Amino acid sequence: GRDKPAHKVGTATYPGSLEGKDVVFSVTITLPQGVNALPQPVQVSYSTFDATDMKNAARHVAGTKPSEAQDYQKTSGMLVFPAGAQDAALTQTIAVKTIADEMVEEDEPFYLELVGIQNAQLNGPARATGYVRNNDVTVDLFAPHQGYQVKEGEPAKIIWSRSGIRTAMLNGLDVYVRVWTKSVTATPNTDYDHIAKNSQQSLRRVTNDTFPTVMNVLTFYDSLHEQDELFFVLMEVDAAKTSPDAQVTISEVGSTALVVIQDSNS
């Protein structure tokens, strides 16, 4: 009847969570005006569903073993609000476990739906949307097969970028890499402008817009007739400055680039 307490489902307590963490939904009982406590128990059944009608939808898994096609743990059950519940006891939460992977992908939606209600009315939508937020980042140096070949006195224009799906967001994660130089046959600060690994100059912040970035490493001219001289540009993740929830990958190929300084006097 009209005196039954109305039930409503809230949106996710957080619109989404980073993969590997819980997405938390809230379910709240709203009492009629003048009623201070729940007069009888209320049972609410719920279940998660894939958002198959939405682009890049998350996919559920019945077990806990992750794979490429699994983004969250299928969750169903029942909430029981006891008679006499009031104030904070009129809200309960549902935690849906998400599954971490190493794939760079867009944020993925799924649904939580209230599939059955006893002793209450539905007030508002029965379905709420949760999101599995991407936390995977791939960063690489562009490493030409023959190396970066530059005439002495010209800058070596080193290209690096955040690769993978360009629309996959970093979701507030701080990601930093170190890009520095290491001599092979070239003399640091004589043949090229050396960048020390732990210097401020080597520190680079990865952003959503890192597509791509050019880093100039200066080389120096001299009047000597000499063979081509070599040095490496290297990259690695700065774990101390990077958010612990970020899963950052630098491929073996993308972590090292060779620079060949060609003699200008030959």
Side-chain angles (χ1 to χ4, degrees), residues 139-141 159-161 177-180 204 233-237 250-251 254-257:
V139 186
D140 285 304
L141 286 171
I159 300 172
W160 66 279
S161 69
V177 295
R178 294 279 178 180
V179 185
W180 74 99
R204 307 280 163 162
V233 177
L234 303 102
M235 173 187 283
E236 71 176 30
V237 179
I250 299 177
S251 68
S255 63
T256 306

Side-chain angles (χ1 to χ4, degrees), residues 195-214:
I195 301 173
K197 180 177 180 179
N198 294 318
S199 66
Q200 187 62 35
Q201 187 182 4
S202 73
L203 186 63
R204 307 280 163 162
R205 187 170 188 267
V206 181
T207 69
N208 287 320
D209 301 321
T210 313
F211 296 113
T213 295
V214 176

